[in-house]
Coordinates of all heavy atoms in Angstrom, one line a residue:
G38 N 111.7 108.7 91.4 CA 111.5 107.4 91.0 C 111.8 106.3 91.9 O 111.0 105.3 91.9
Q39 N 112.8 106.4 92.8 CA 113.1 105.4 93.8 C 111.9 105.4 94.9 O 111.6 104.3 95.3 CB 114.4 105.7 94.6 CG 115.6 105.5 93.6 CD 116.8 105.8 94.4 OE1 116.8 106.7 95.3 NE2 117.9 105.3 93.9
I40 N 111.3 106.5 95.2 CA 110.2 106.5 96.1 C 109.1 105.7 95.6 O 108.5 104.9 96.4 CB 109.8 107.8 96.6 CG1 111.0 108.6 97.4 CG2 108.7 107.9 97.5 CD1 110.8 109.9 97.7
K41 N 108.8 106.0 94.4 CA 107.6 105.2 93.8 C 107.9 103.7 93.7 O 107.0 103.0 94.0 CB 107.2 105.8 92.4 CG 106.1 105.3 91.8 CD 105.7 106.0 90.4 CE 104.5 105.4 89.9 NZ 104.3 106.1 88.5
A42 N 109.1 103.4 93.4 CA 109.4 102.0 93.2 C 109.4 101.3 94.5 O 108.8 100.1 94.7 CB 110.8 101.8 92.6
A43 N 109.9 101.9 95.6 CA 109.9 101.4 97.0 C 108.4 101.3 97.5 O 108.0 100.3 98.1 CB 110.6 102.3 97.9
R44 N 107.6 102.3 97.1 CA 106.2 102.1 97.6 C 105.5 101.0 96.9 O 104.7 100.3 97.6 CB 105.5 103.5 97.2 CG 104.0 103.6 97.7 CD 103.4 105.0 97.3 NE 104.1 106.0 97.9 CZ 104.5 107.1 97.3 NH1 104.2 107.2 96.1 NH2 105.1 108.1 97.9
E45 N 105.8 100.7 95.7 CA 105.1 99.6 95.0 C 105.6 98.3 95.6 O 104.9 97.3 95.7 CB 105.5 99.7 93.5 CG 104.8 100.7 92.7 CD 103.3 100.7 92.9 OE1 102.7 99.6 92.7 OE2 102.7 101.7 93.0
V46 N 106.9 98.2 95.9 CA 107.4 97.0 96.5 C 106.8 96.6 97.9 O 106.4 95.6 98.2 CB 109.0 97.1 96.7 CG1 109.6 95.9 97.5 CG2 109.6 97.1 95.3
A47 N 106.7 97.8 98.8 CA 106.1 97.7 100.0 C 104.5 97.2 99.9 O 104.0 96.4 100.6 CB 106.2 99.0 100.7
K48 N 103.9 97.8 98.9 CA 102.4 97.4 98.7 C 102.4 96.0 98.3 O 101.4 95.3 98.7 CB 101.9 98.3 97.6 CG 100.4 98.4 97.4 CD 100.0 99.5 96.4 CE 98.6 99.5 96.2 NZ 98.1 100.6 95.2
K49 N 103.2 95.5 97.4 CA 103.2 94.2 97.0 C 103.3 93.3 98.2 O 102.8 92.3 98.4 CB 104.1 93.9 95.9 CG 104.1 92.4 95.3 CD 105.0 92.3 94.2 CE 105.0 90.8 93.7 NZ 105.8 90.6 92.6
Q50 N 104.4 93.6 99.1 CA 104.7 92.7 100.2 C 103.6 92.7 101.2 O 103.3 91.8 101.8 CB 106.0 93.2 100.9 CG 107.3 93.0 100.1 CD 108.5 93.7 100.8 OE1 108.4 94.6 101.6 NE2 109.8 93.3 100.3
Q51 N 102.9 93.9 101.4 CA 101.8 94.0 102.3 C 100.6 93.0 101.8 O 100.0 92.4 102.5 CB 101.3 95.4 102.5 CG 100.1 95.5 103.6 CD 100.7 95.2 105.0 OE1 101.8 95.6 105.4 NE2 99.9 94.3 105.6
S52 N 100.4 93.1 100.4 CA 99.4 92.4 99.8 C 99.6 90.8 100.0 O 98.8 90.1 100.3 CB 99.2 92.8 98.3 OG 98.4 91.9 97.7
E53 N 100.9 90.5 99.7 CA 101.1 89.0 100.0 C 101.0 88.7 101.4 O 100.6 87.5 101.7 CB 102.6 88.7 99.6 CG 102.9 88.8 98.1 CD 102.0 87.9 97.2 OE1 101.9 86.6 97.7 OE2 101.3 88.3 96.2
H54 N 101.4 89.5 102.4 CA 101.4 89.3 103.7 C 99.8 89.1 104.1 O 99.5 88.1 105.0 CB 102.0 90.4 104.5 CG 101.9 90.2 106.0 ND1 100.8 90.8 106.9 CD2 102.6 89.5 106.9 CE1 101.2 90.4 108.1 NE2 102.2 89.6 108.1
D55 N 99.0 90.0 103.6 CA 97.5 90.0 104.0 C 96.8 88.7 103.5 O 95.8 88.4 103.9 CB 96.8 91.1 103.5 CG 97.1 92.3 104.4 OD1 97.7 92.1 105.5 OD2 96.7 93.5 104.0
K56 N 97.3 88.0 102.4 CA 96.6 86.8 101.9 C 96.7 85.7 102.8 O 95.9 84.8 102.8 CB 97.3 86.4 100.5 CG 97.1 87.4 99.4 CD 97.8 87.0 98.2 CE 97.6 88.0 97.0 NZ 98.2 87.6 95.8
S57 N 97.7 85.7 103.7 CA 98.0 84.5 104.7 C 97.2 84.8 106.0 O 97.2 84.0 106.9 CB 99.3 84.5 105.0 OG 99.9 85.6 105.7
K58 N 96.3 85.9 106.1 CA 95.6 86.2 107.3 C 94.2 85.6 107.3 O 93.8 85.1 106.2 CB 95.6 87.8 107.6 CG 97.0 88.3 107.8 CD 97.6 87.6 108.9 CE 99.1 87.9 109.0 NZ 99.7 87.1 110.1
A59 N 93.4 85.8 108.4 CA 92.1 85.3 108.5 C 91.1 86.3 108.9 O 91.5 87.3 109.4 CB 92.1 84.2 109.5
H60 N 89.9 86.1 108.6 CA 88.7 86.9 109.0 C 88.5 86.7 110.5 O 88.9 85.6 111.0 CB 87.4 86.7 108.4 CG 87.5 87.0 106.9 ND1 87.3 86.1 105.9 CD2 87.7 88.1 106.3 CE1 87.4 86.5 104.7 NE2 87.6 87.9 105.0
V61 N 88.1 87.7 111.2 CA 87.9 87.5 112.7 C 86.4 87.8 113.0 O 85.7 88.7 112.3 CB 88.8 88.4 113.5 CG1 90.2 88.1 113.5 CG2 88.6 89.9 113.1
G62 N 85.9 87.2 114.1 CA 84.6 87.4 114.4 C 83.5 86.7 113.5 O 83.8 86.2 112.6
T63 N 82.3 86.9 113.9 CA 81.1 86.4 113.3 C 80.3 87.5 112.7 O 79.9 88.4 113.5 CB 80.3 85.4 114.1 OG1 81.2 84.5 114.7 CG2 79.1 84.8 113.4
V64 N 79.9 87.5 111.4 CA 79.2 88.6 110.7 C 77.8 88.7 111.4 O 77.1 87.8 111.9 CB 78.9 88.3 109.3 CG1 78.0 89.4 108.6 CG2 80.2 88.3 108.6
G65 N 77.6 89.9 111.9 CA 76.1 90.3 112.6 C 76.3 90.2 114.1 O 75.4 90.6 114.8
K66 N 77.4 89.6 114.6 CA 77.7 89.5 116.0 C 78.4 90.6 116.8 O 79.5 91.2 116.1 CB 78.3 88.2 116.4 CG 78.3 87.8 117.7 CD 78.8 86.4 118.0 CE 78.8 86.1 119.6 NZ 79.6 84.9 119.8
R67 N 78.1 91.1 117.9 CA 78.8 92.2 118.5 C 79.7 91.5 119.4 O 79.5 90.6 120.3 CB 77.7 93.0 119.4 CG 78.4 94.3 119.8 CD 77.3 95.3 120.0 NE 77.9 96.6 120.6 CZ 78.5 97.6 119.9 NH1 78.7 97.4 118.5 NH2 78.9 98.6 120.5
E68 N 81.1 91.9 119.2 CA 82.2 91.2 119.9 C 83.2 92.1 120.4 O 83.3 93.4 120.0 CB 82.8 90.2 119.0 CG 81.9 89.1 118.4 CD 82.6 88.2 117.4 OE1 83.7 87.8 117.7 OE2 81.9 87.8 116.6
D69 N 84.1 91.7 121.3 CA 85.1 92.5 121.9 C 86.3 92.2 121.0 O 86.7 91.0 120.5 CB 85.5 92.2 123.3 CG 84.3 92.5 124.3 OD1 83.6 93.5 123.9 OD2 84.4 92.1 125.4
F70 N 87.2 93.2 120.8 CA 88.4 93.1 119.9 C 89.3 93.9 120.6 O 89.2 95.1 121.2 CB 88.3 93.6 118.5 CG 87.2 93.0 117.6 CD1 85.8 93.5 117.6 CD2 87.6 91.7 117.1 CE1 85.0 92.8 116.9 CE2 86.6 91.0 116.3 CZ 85.3 91.6 116.1
E71 N 90.7 93.4 120.6 CA 91.9 94.1 121.1 C 92.7 94.4 119.8 O 93.2 93.6 119.2 CB 92.7 93.3 122.1 CG 92.0 93.3 123.4 CD 92.7 92.6 124.6 OE1 94.0 92.7 124.5 OE2 92.2 92.1 125.5
L72 N 92.8 95.7 119.5 CA 93.4 96.1 118.2 C 94.4 97.2 118.4 O 94.4 97.9 119.4 CB 92.3 96.7 117.3 CG 91.1 95.7 117.0 CD1 89.9 96.5 116.4 CD2 91.4 94.5 116.2
T73 N 95.3 97.2 117.5 CA 96.3 98.4 117.3 C 96.0 99.1 116.0 O 95.8 98.5 115.0 CB 97.7 97.8 117.4 OG1 98.0 97.0 118.4 CG2 98.6 98.9 117.1
I74 N 95.9 100.5 116.1 CA 95.6 101.2 115.0 C 96.8 101.6 114.3 O 97.7 102.3 114.8 CB 94.9 102.6 115.5 CG1 93.4 102.3 116.3 CG2 94.5 103.6 114.3 CD1 92.9 103.5 116.9
S75 N 96.8 101.2 113.0 CA 98.1 101.3 112.2 C 98.0 102.6 111.3 O 99.0 103.2 111.0 CB 98.4 100.1 111.3 OG 97.3 99.7 110.6
M76 N 96.8 102.9 110.8 CA 96.6 104.1 110.0 C 95.1 104.6 110.2 O 94.2 103.9 110.5 CB 96.7 103.7 108.5 CG 98.1 103.4 108.1 SD 98.2 103.1 106.3 CE 97.7 101.5 106.1
I77 N 95.0 105.9 110.1 CA 93.7 106.6 110.1 C 93.6 107.6 108.9 O 94.5 108.5 108.8 CB 93.4 107.4 111.5 CG1 93.5 106.5 112.5 CG2 92.2 108.1 111.3 CD1 93.5 107.2 113.9
F78 N 92.7 107.3 108.1 CA 92.4 108.3 107.0 C 91.3 109.2 107.3 O 90.3 108.7 107.7 CB 92.2 107.5 105.6 CG 93.3 106.7 105.2 CD1 93.2 105.3 105.6 CD2 94.4 107.2 104.6 CE1 94.3 104.5 105.1 CE2 95.6 106.3 104.2 CZ 95.4 104.9 104.5
E79 N 91.4 110.5 107.2 CA 90.4 111.5 107.3 C 89.8 112.0 106.1 O 90.5 112.4 105.2 CB 90.8 112.6 108.3 CG 91.2 112.2 109.5 CD 91.8 113.2 110.4 OE1 91.5 114.4 110.1 OE2 92.4 113.0 111.4
E80 N 88.5 112.2 105.9 CA 88.0 112.8 104.7 C 86.7 113.5 105.0 O 85.9 113.0 105.9 CB 87.8 111.8 103.7 CG 86.8 110.6 103.8 CD 86.8 109.7 102.6 OE1 86.9 110.0 101.4 OE2 86.6 108.4 103.0
K81 N 86.4 114.6 104.4 CA 85.1 115.2 104.7 C 84.0 114.6 103.9 O 84.1 114.5 102.7 CB 85.2 116.8 104.3 CG 84.0 117.6 104.6 CD 84.4 119.0 104.7 CE 83.2 119.8 104.9 NZ 82.8 120.0 106.3
G82 N 83.0 114.2 104.6 CA 81.8 113.5 104.1 C 80.6 114.4 104.1 O 80.8 115.5 104.4
F83 N 79.5 114.0 103.6 CA 78.3 114.8 103.4 C 77.8 115.2 104.8 O 77.4 116.4 104.9 CB 77.3 114.0 102.8 CG 76.0 114.8 102.4 CD1 76.1 115.6 101.3 CD2 74.8 114.5 103.1 CE1 74.9 116.4 101.0 CE2 73.7 115.3 102.8 CZ 73.8 116.2 101.7
Y84 N 78.0 114.5 105.9 CA 77.5 114.8 107.2 C 78.6 115.3 108.2 O 78.5 115.3 109.3 CB 76.7 113.7 107.8 CG 75.6 113.4 107.1 CD1 75.4 112.2 106.2 CD2 74.4 114.2 107.1 CE1 74.3 111.9 105.5 CE2 73.3 113.8 106.4 CZ 73.1 112.9 105.6 OH 72.1 112.5 105.0
G85 N 79.9 115.4 107.6 CA 81.0 115.9 108.5 C 82.2 115.0 108.1 O 82.3 114.3 107.3
M86 N 83.1 114.9 109.1 CA 84.3 114.2 108.9 C 84.0 112.7 109.1 O 83.2 112.3 109.9 CB 85.4 114.6 110.0 CG 86.1 115.9 109.8 SD 86.7 116.2 108.2 CE 88.2 115.1 108.4
E87 N 84.7 111.9 108.3 CA 84.7 110.6 108.4 C 86.1 109.9 108.5 O 87.0 110.5 107.9 CB 84.0 110.0 107.0 CG 82.6 110.1 106.9 CD 82.2 109.4 105.5 OE1 82.9 108.9 104.7 OE2 80.9 109.6 105.3
Y88 N 86.4 109.0 109.4 CA 87.5 108.4 109.6 C 87.5 107.0 109.2 O 86.6 106.2 109.7 CB 87.9 108.5 111.1 CG 87.8 110.0 111.6 CD1 86.6 110.5 112.2 CD2 88.8 110.9 111.4 CE1 86.4 111.8 112.7 CE2 88.7 112.1 112.0 CZ 87.7 112.6 112.5 OH 87.5 113.9 113.0
T89 N 88.6 106.6 108.6 CA 88.8 105.1 108.2 C 90.0 104.6 109.0 O 91.1 105.0 108.9 CB 89.1 104.9 106.7 OG1 87.9 105.5 106.0 CG2 89.2 103.4 106.3
H90 N 89.6 103.7 109.9 CA 90.7 103.2 110.7 C 91.3 101.8 110.3 O 90.4 100.9 110.1 CB 90.2 103.0 112.2 CG 89.8 104.1 112.9 ND1 88.7 104.9 112.6 CD2 90.3 104.8 114.0 CE1 88.6 105.9 113.4 NE2 89.6 105.8 114.2
M91 N 92.4 101.7 110.0 CA 93.1 100.4 109.5 C 93.8 99.9 110.7 O 94.6 100.4 111.2 CB 94.1 100.6 108.4 CG 93.5 101.5 107.3 SD 92.3 100.7 106.4 CE 93.1 99.5 105.5
M92 N 93.3 98.7 111.1 CA 93.8 98.2 112.4 C 94.2 96.7 112.3 O 93.8 96.1 111.3 CB 92.6 98.3 113.6 CG 92.2 99.8 113.7 SD 90.8 99.8 114.8 CE 89.4 99.3 113.7
R93 N 94.9 96.2 113.3 CA 95.3 94.7 113.3 C 95.1 94.3 114.7 O 95.3 95.0 115.8 CB 96.8 94.8 113.1 CG 97.2 95.4 111.7 CD 96.9 94.3 110.6 NE 97.4 94.8 109.3 CZ 97.5 94.0 108.2 NH1 97.5 92.7 108.3 NH2 97.9 94.5 107.2
D94 N 94.8 92.9 114.7 CA 94.6 92.4 116.0 C 96.0 91.6 116.5 O 97.0 91.8 115.9 CB 93.5 91.4 116.0 CG 93.7 90.0 115.1 OD1 94.8 90.0 114.5 OD2 92.8 89.2 115.1
A95 N 96.0 90.9 117.5 CA 97.3 90.3 118.0 C 97.9 89.3 117.1 O 99.1 89.3 117.0 CB 96.9 89.7 119.3
D96 N 97.0 88.8 116.2 CA 97.5 87.8 115.2 C 97.8 88.5 113.9 O 98.0 87.9 112.9 CB 96.6 86.6 115.0 CG 96.3 85.8 116.1 OD1 97.4 85.6 116.8 OD2 95.3 85.4 116.5
N97 N 97.8 89.8 113.8 CA 98.1 90.7 112.6 C 97.0 90.5 111.6 O 97.3 91.0 110.4 CB 99.4 90.4 112.1 CG 100.0 91.6 111.5 OD1 99.7 92.7 111.9 ND2 101.1 91.5 110.7
N98 N 95.8 90.1 112.0 CA 94.6 90.1 111.0 C 94.1 91.5 110.8 O 93.8 92.2 111.8 CB 93.5 89.2 111.5 CG 94.1 87.7 111.7 OD1 94.6 87.2 110.8 ND2 93.7 87.1 112.8
P99 N 93.9 91.9 109.6 CA 93.3 93.3 109.4 C 91.8 93.4 109.8 O 91.0 92.7 109.4 CB 93.6 93.5 107.8 CG 93.7 92.2 107.3 CD 94.0 91.2 108.4
V100 N 91.6 94.6 110.4 CA 90.2 95.0 110.8 C 90.1 96.4 110.5 O 91.0 97.2 110.7 CB 90.0 94.8 112.3 CG1 88.6 95.2 112.8 CG2 90.2 93.4 112.8
V101 N 88.8 96.8 109.9 CA 88.7 98.2 109.3 C 87.4 98.7 110.0 O 86.4 98.0 110.1 CB 88.5 98.1 107.7 CG1 88.2 99.5 107.3 CG2 89.7 97.6 107.1
Y102 N 87.4 100.0 110.3 CA 86.2 100.7 110.7 C 86.2 102.0 110.1 O 87.2 102.7 109.9 CB 86.2 100.9 112.2 CG 85.3 102.1 112.7 CD1 83.8 101.8 112.4 CD2 85.6 103.3 113.1 CE1 82.9 102.9 112.8 CE2 84.8 104.3 113.4 CZ 83.5 104.1 113.3 OH 82.7 105.3 113.6
K103 N 85.2 102.3 109.4 CA 84.9 103.7 108.7 C 83.6 104.3 109.3 O 82.6 103.8 109.2 CB 84.8 103.5 107.2 CG 84.6 104.9 106.6 CD 84.6 104.6 105.0 CE 84.5 106.0 104.4 NZ 84.5 105.9 102.9
G104 N 83.7 105.6 109.8 CA 82.7 106.2 110.4 C 83.0 107.5 111.0 O 84.1 108.0 110.7
S105 N 82.1 108.2 111.7 CA 82.3 109.6 112.2 C 83.0 109.6 113.5 O 83.4 110.6 113.9 CB 80.9 110.2 112.3 OG 80.1 109.4 113.3
N106 N 83.3 108.5 114.1 CA 84.1 108.5 115.4 C 85.7 108.1 115.2 O 85.9 107.3 114.5 CB 83.4 107.4 116.4 CG 82.0 107.7 116.8 OD1 81.6 108.8 116.8 ND2 81.3 106.7 116.9
K107 N 86.3 109.0 115.8 CA 87.7 108.9 115.8 C 88.1 108.0 117.1 O 87.8 108.6 118.2 CB 88.6 110.1 115.9 CG 90.1 109.8 115.5 CD 90.8 111.1 115.3 CE 92.2 110.9 114.8 NZ 93.0 112.1 114.5
L108 N 88.6 106.8 116.9 CA 88.7 105.9 118.1 C 89.8 106.2 119.1 O 89.7 106.4 120.3 CB 88.8 104.5 117.7 CG 87.7 103.9 116.9 CD1 88.0 102.6 116.4 CD2 86.3 104.1 117.5
A109 N 90.9 106.5 118.5 CA 92.2 106.8 119.2 C 93.2 107.3 118.2 O 93.1 107.0 117.1 CB 92.6 105.7 120.0
P110 N 94.3 107.9 118.8 CA 95.4 108.3 117.8 C 96.1 107.0 117.2 O 96.0 106.0 117.6 CB 96.4 109.0 118.7 CG 95.7 109.3 119.9 CD 94.5 108.2 120.1
R111 N 96.6 107.3 116.0 CA 97.4 106.3 115.2 C 98.6 105.7 116.2 O 99.2 106.3 116.8 CB 98.1 107.0 114.1 CG 98.8 106.0 113.3 CD 99.4 106.7 112.0 NE 100.3 105.9 111.3 CZ 101.6 106.0 111.1 NH1 102.2 107.3 111.5 NH2 102.4 105.3 110.4
G112 N 98.6 104.3 116.1 CA 99.7 103.7 117.0 C 99.1 103.2 118.3 O 99.8 102.5 119.0
S113 N 97.9 103.6 118.6 CA 97.4 103.2 119.9 C 96.8 101.9 119.9 O 96.3 101.3 118.9 CB 96.1 104.2 120.2 OG 96.5 105.4 120.3
A114 N 96.9 101.3 121.0 CA 96.3 99.8 121.3 C 94.8 100.2 122.0 O 94.8 101.0 123.0 CB 97.1 99.0 122.1
V115 N 93.8 99.7 121.3 CA 92.4 99.9 121.9 C 91.7 98.5 122.1 O 92.0 97.7 121.3 CB 91.7 100.9 121.0 CG1 92.3 102.3 121.0 CG2 91.5 100.3 119.6
K116 N 90.9 98.6 123.0 CA 90.0 97.5 123.1 C 88.6 98.0 122.8 O 88.2 99.0 123.4 CB 89.9 97.0 124.6 CG 89.1 95.7 124.8 CD 89.3 95.1 126.2 CE 88.5 93.8 126.2 NZ 88.8 93.0 127.4
V117 N 87.9 97.4 121.8 CA 86.6 97.9 121.4 C 85.6 96.8 121.4 O 86.0 95.6 121.2 CB 86.7 98.7 120.0 CG1 87.5 99.8 120.1 CG2 87.1 97.6 119.0
K118 N 84.4 97.2 121.6 CA 83.2 96.3 121.4 C 82.6 96.9 120.1 O 82.2 98.0 120.1 CB 82.1 96.3 122.5 CG 81.1 95.4 122.3 CD 80.1 95.4 123.5 CE 80.2 94.3 124.5 NZ 80.4 93.2 124.3
A119 N 82.5 96.0 119.0 CA 82.0 96.3 117.7 C 81.1 95.2 117.1 O 81.4 94.1 117.5 CB 83.1 96.8 116.9
T120 N 80.4 95.7 116.1 CA 79.5 94.6 115.5 C 80.4 94.3 114.1 O 80.8 95.1 113.4 CB 78.2 95.2 115.0 OG1 77.6 95.5 116.2 CG2 77.4 94.0 114.3
V121 N 80.5 92.9 113.8 CA 81.2 92.6 112.6 C 80.2 92.8 111.4 O 79.2 92.3 111.4 CB 81.6 91.1 112.6 CG1 82.3 90.8 111.2 CG2 82.7 90.8 113.8
K122 N 80.6 93.7 110.6 CA 79.6 94.1 109.4 C 79.9 93.2 108.2 O 78.8 92.7 107.6 CB 80.0 95.5 109.0 CG 79.2 96.2 107.9 CD 79.6 97.5 107.7 CE 78.8 98.2 106.6 NZ 79.2 99.6 106.4
S123 N 81.1 92.8 107.9 CA 81.3 91.9 106.8 C 82.6 91.4 106.8 O 83.5 92.0 107.4 CB 80.9 92.6 105.4 OG 82.0 93.7 105.3
H124 N 82.9 90.3 106.1 CA 84.2 89.8 105.8 C 84.4 90.0 104.4 O 83.7 89.6 103.5 CB 84.2 88.3 106.2 CG 84.2 88.0 107.5 ND1 83.6 86.8 108.1 CD2 84.5 88.7 108.7 CE1 83.9 86.9 109.4 NE2 84.2 88.0 109.7
W125 N 85.5 90.8 104.0 CA 85.8 91.2 102.7 C 87.0 90.4 102.1 O 88.0 90.1 103.0 CB 86.2 92.7 102.8 CG 86.6 93.3 101.4 CD1 85.9 93.6 100.3 CD2 88.1 93.4 101.1 NE1 86.8 94.0 99.3 CE2 88.1 94.0 99.8 CE3 89.2 93.2 101.7 CZ2 89.2 94.4 99.1 CZ3 90.4 93.7 101.1 CH2 90.4 94.2 99.7
T126 N 86.9 89.9 101.0 CA 88.0 89.2 100.2 C 88.1 89.9 98.9 O 87.2 89.9 98.1 CB 87.7 87.7 100.1 OG1 87.4 87.2 101.5 CG2 88.9 87.0 99.5
A127 N 89.4 90.3 98.5 CA 89.5 90.9 97.2 C 90.0 89.8 96.3 O 90.2 88.5 96.5 CB 90.9 91.8 97.3
Q128 N 89.9 90.1 94.9 CA 90.1 89.0 93.9 C 91.5 88.5 94.0 O 91.8 87.3 93.6 CB 89.9 89.7 92.4 CG 88.5 90.0 92.2 CD 88.2 90.6 90.8 OE1 89.1 91.0 90.2 NE2 87.0 90.7 90.4
D129 N 92.5 89.4 94.4 CA 93.8 88.9 94.6 C 94.1 88.1 95.9 O 95.3 87.7 96.2 CB 94.9 90.0 94.4 CG 94.6 91.0 95.6 OD1 93.9 90.8 96.5 OD2 95.5 92.0 95.5
G130 N 93.1 87.8 96.7 CA 93.3 87.1 97.8 C 93.4 87.8 99.2 O 93.4 87.2 100.4
R131 N 93.5 89.2 99.2 CA 93.7 89.9 100.4 C 92.4 89.9 101.2 O 91.4 89.9 100.5 CB 94.0 91.5 100.1 CG 95.4 91.6 99.5 CD 95.6 93.1 99.1 NE 94.9 93.4 98.2 CZ 94.1 94.5 98.0 NH1 94.0 95.3 99.2 NH2 93.2 94.8 97.1
I132 N 92.4 90.1 102.5 CA 91.1 89.9 103.2 C 91.1 91.1 104.3 O 92.2 91.6 104.6 CB 90.9 88.6 103.9 CG1 92.1 88.3 104.9 CG2 90.8 87.5 102.9 CD1 91.8 88.1 106.2
A133 N 89.9 91.3 104.8 CA 89.7 92.2 105.9 C 88.4 91.9 106.6 O 87.5 91.5 105.9 CB 89.9 93.7 105.4
T134 N 88.2 92.4 107.8 CA 87.0 92.3 108.5 C 86.5 93.7 108.8 O 87.4 94.5 109.3 CB 87.3 91.6 109.9 OG1 87.7 90.2 109.7 CG2 85.9 91.5 110.7
Y135 N 85.4 94.0 108.4 CA 84.8 95.3 108.5 C 83.9 95.3 109.8 O 83.0 94.5 109.8 CB 84.1 95.8 107.2 CG 84.9 96.2 106.2 CD1 85.7 95.4 105.4 CD2 85.2 97.6 106.0 CE1 86.5 95.9 104.4 CE2 86.0 98.1 105.0 CZ 86.7 97.2 104.2 OH 87.6 97.7 103.2
T136 N 84.0 96.4 110.6 CA 83.2 96.5 111.7 C 82.5 97.8 111.7 O 82.8 98.8 110.9 CB 84.0 96.4 113.0 OG1 84.9 97.6 113.0 CG2 84.8 95.1 113.1
N137 N 81.4 97.9 112.5 CA 80.8 99.2 112.7 C 80.2 99.3 114.2 O 80.4 98.4 114.9 CB 79.7 99.4 111.6 CG 78.5 98.3 111.8 OD1 78.5 97.5 112.6 ND2 77.4 98.4 111.0
R138 N 79.8 100.5 114.5 CA 79.3 100.8 115.8 C 80.3 100.5 116.9 O 80.0 99.8 118.0 CB 78.0 100.3 116.1 CG 76.9 100.7 115.2 CD 75.5 100.2 115.6 NE 75.5 98.8 115.8 CZ 74.9 98.2 116.9 NH1 74.3 98.9 117.7 NH2 75.1 96.9 117.1
P139 N 81.7 100.9 116.8 CA 82.6 100.4 117.8 C 82.4 101.4 119.1 O 82.1 102.5 119.0 CB 83.9 100.8 117.2 CG 83.6 101.8 116.3 CD 82.2 101.6 115.7
K140 N 82.7 100.7 120.2 CA 82.7 101.5 121.4 C 84.0 101.2 122.2 O 84.2 100.0 122.4 CB 81.5 101.1 122.4 CG 81.4 101.8 123.6 CD 80.3 101.4 124.5 CE 80.5 102.0 125.9 NZ 79.5 101.6 126.8
V141 N 84.9 102.1 122.5 CA 86.1 102.0 123.2 C 85.9 101.5 124.6 O 85.0 102.2 125.3 CB 87.0 103.3 123.0 CG1 88.3 102.9 123.9 CG2 87.2 103.5 121.5
L142 N 86.4 100.5 125.0 CA 86.1 99.9 126.4 C 87.1 100.4 127.3 O 88.2 100.8 127.0 CB 86.1 98.4 126.4 CG 85.0 97.8 125.4 CD1 85.2 96.2 125.5 CD2 83.7 98.2 125.8

């Protein structure tokens, strides 16, 4: 019970924190990003393994990449050149920048 309650509190705090962040980059433009990988989720897709990277830039803005390339281990700081795919905003105000075709520099 306590673990579930603590998880809900942490989730709410992270949600409130993400509401104060900003989108990064310009949609459709290929740009350089310096990011820290906070989490990586792995799942088996139709064409093999898919990795969802949850990352943050220096200003703690959330950046997400989902694809077949594993960029680096969790906790790593990486510099990538990637295309900004979209700027996502949830109904509750959380935001994220989605990227694709990242290349580690």
